[in-house]
Amino acid sequence: MSCPEKDAVEPHVVKEEVIATGKWVKLEKTTYVDPAGNTRTWETAKRTTRPSNTAADGVGIIALLKRTLHKDCVVLVKQFRPPMGCHTLEFPAGLIDDNESAETAALRELKEETGYKGEVVGVTPVTCLDPGLSNCTTQIVMVNINGDDIENIHPTQQLGDGEFVEVILLPLDEFQKKINELLNKEKIVVDAKVYIYAMGMAQAFFKPNELPVLKHKRMPSLASQANTHHSADTSSVAAVGFLPGYTFISKVAPIARGTEKKRGKLNQRPQQVHKELLWGRCIKAVQQGAHSSSGSLSGSSLIRPVKGSQLALRWPC
């Protein structure tokens, strides 16, 4: 890929000529100037429905259904899409009406397509969908749904004439896995936005076998500190935040293996862990003691030296 020269012109559209127009879509011949100063043409598809007061054609809704004693679920819709010739799995979505904000449009479309009533918790800037083909744009709206609300216990769709939409709920912590299971069961195409979101959530919930995030450094002061202790004690490591299913621990203070009696002698093995993050799955406490009677959450099972200067976190479960 070549880089434009310093004297390259700013690329810009010269004119747009309508080739064909339908009720919802039109095809245009776009004449433009590229960075090298050459005049070129492009075939562009555009919607005919974009409101004059907004830069977005429509909204997509990432709706999370939250219920007591249930996993959080992503609300999806399944419907037949003629251009694809098959059913698709998508986020609820729709066009923005005149004099309507993205938030209002999202709540309206969510109610119509799924029957759920939600609360907007976030809105993206205007984003493009397929810029090589169309100028179609959207705003993604994050919505939380209180599944314990009486209106959401038995939601009723408000579909228009010719709309056939099936609501599908997939657990957030197994989102990508459940989508893949659907793909294996039936002929269905997943919307790119849905699968990208699923991949992102899979990374957020990812449980590696080993996560080398800690640096290992021996501190002489800890050796002398260990000499003064005859039993293990809890460290000052503090849990400061949570991801779904995970606890992450920051401000990793010195973790010293306490001394222990072994064959009648004191076995002193100081160790220092500092900086970075210490991750653990459902870890309620990190103890200085290197050993536990059960062995379920011992220092040796949690942390081990690798490649000399690092520590890798080993997951107990």
Side-chain angles (χ1 to χ4, degrees):
M1 180 177 178
S2 60
C3 298
E5 298 178 0
K6 293 183 179 179
D7 57 349
V9 300
E10 183 69 22
H12 60 279
V13 172
V14 177
K15 62 179 179 177
E16 297 171 318
E17 303 169 83
V18 177
I19 299 174
T21 303
K23 181 179 179 180
W24 303 100
V25 181
K26 61 182 178 181
L27 177 64
E28 292 185 349
K29 177 183 177 182
T30 304
T31 303
Y32 71 101
V33 175
D34 68 15
N38 301 314
T39 300
R40 301 180 182 276
T41 59
W42 198 277
E43 293 178 350
T44 305
K46 293 185 178 181
R47 289 188 179 273
T48 61
T49 54
R50 178 181 295 179
S52 58
N53 63 329
T54 178
D57 290 289
V59 292
I61 305 118
I62 301 179
L64 299 182
L65 178 62
K66 299 175 178 291
R67 298 168 290 178
T68 303
L69 301 180
H70 288 77
K71 288 184 176 182
D72 289 355
C73 287
V74 183
V75 180
L76 300 174
V77 292
K78 175 185 171 184
Q79 55 190 319
F80 181 80
R81 291 295 196 182
M84 297 299 301
C86 64
H87 285 84
T88 60
L89 189 65
E90 310 170 35
F91 290 125
L95 299 177
I96 299 175
D97 290 341
D98 286 327
N99 300 315
E100 189 177 42
S101 67
E103 294 88 340
T104 302
L107 295 179
R108 174 180 55 78
E109 288 289 349
L110 181 66
K111 181 66 177 176
E112 291 175 2
E113 292 192 356
T114 70
Y116 285 113
K117 178 182 178 181
E119 176 187 7
V120 174
V121 294
V123 183
T124 70
V126 175
T127 58
C128 56
L129 290 172
D130 193 350
L133 172 68
S134 171
N135 72 336
C136 188
T137 54
T138 188
Q139 286 183 269
I140 305 299
V141 182
M142 289 288 297
V143 175
N144 283 344
I145 301 171
N146 179 5
D148 296 330
D149 193 308
I150 190 67
E151 296 182 74
N152 294 323
I153 295 177
H154 299 291
T156 302
Q157 294 170 289
Q158 300 175 355
L159 300 176
D161 183 41
E163 286 188 302
F164 303 91
V165 178
E166 178 185 349
V167 179
I168 294 179
L169 305 178
L170 296 182
L172 183 62
D173 62 347
E174 297 180 293
F175 195 36
Q176 187 176 10
K177 175 184 175 183
K178 294 300 181 182
I179 290 175
N180 290 337
E181 290 177 359
L182 282 176
L183 292 174
N184 291 331
K185 288 180 181 179
E186 53 189 291
K187 182 183 178 182
I188 191 171
V189 175
V190 182
D191 184 271
K193 297 184 294 296
V194 171
Y195 208 87
I196 289 170
Y197 182 75
M199 293 176 70
M201 294 312 301
Q203 291 299 312
F205 284 92
F206 180 63
K207 187 185 82 168
N209 292 324
E210 294 184 353
L211 185 62
V213 298
L214 303 176
K215 294 182 179 179
H216 175 226
K217 183 178 180 181
R218 295 187 178 278
M219 299 291 288
S221 59
L222 280 175
S224 59
Q225 181 181 358
N227 289 332
T228 62
H229 294 282
H230 298 282
S231 62
D233 191 12
T234 57
S235 71
S236 59
V237 178
V240 297
F242 298 91
L243 282 175
Y246 292 85
T247 301
F248 64 87
I249 300 175
S250 185
K251 190 186 176 183
V252 182
I255 300 178
R257 292 183 177 181
T259 57
E260 58 180 286
K261 288 188 177 182
K262 185 177 181 181
R263 297 180 182 178
K265 296 182 180 181
L266 288 178
N267 180 23
Q268 300 162 355
R269 297 187 297 181
Q271 196 171 40
Q272 168 78 12
V273 181
H274 65 103
K275 296 183 179 180
E276 306 300 339
L277 292 173
L278 174 63
W279 289 82
R281 181 175 174 83
C282 304
I283 298 176
K284 295 181 179 179
V286 179
Q287 294 185 337
Q288 284 183 330
H291 304 282
S292 67
S293 58
S294 65
S296 61
L297 188 59
S298 66
S300 58
S301 67
L302 187 66
I303 300 172
R304 70 177 181 85
V306 292
K307 296 181 181 179
S309 62
Q310 291 184 328
L311 286 179
L313 184 143
R314 299 183 63 84
W315 301 85
C317 50

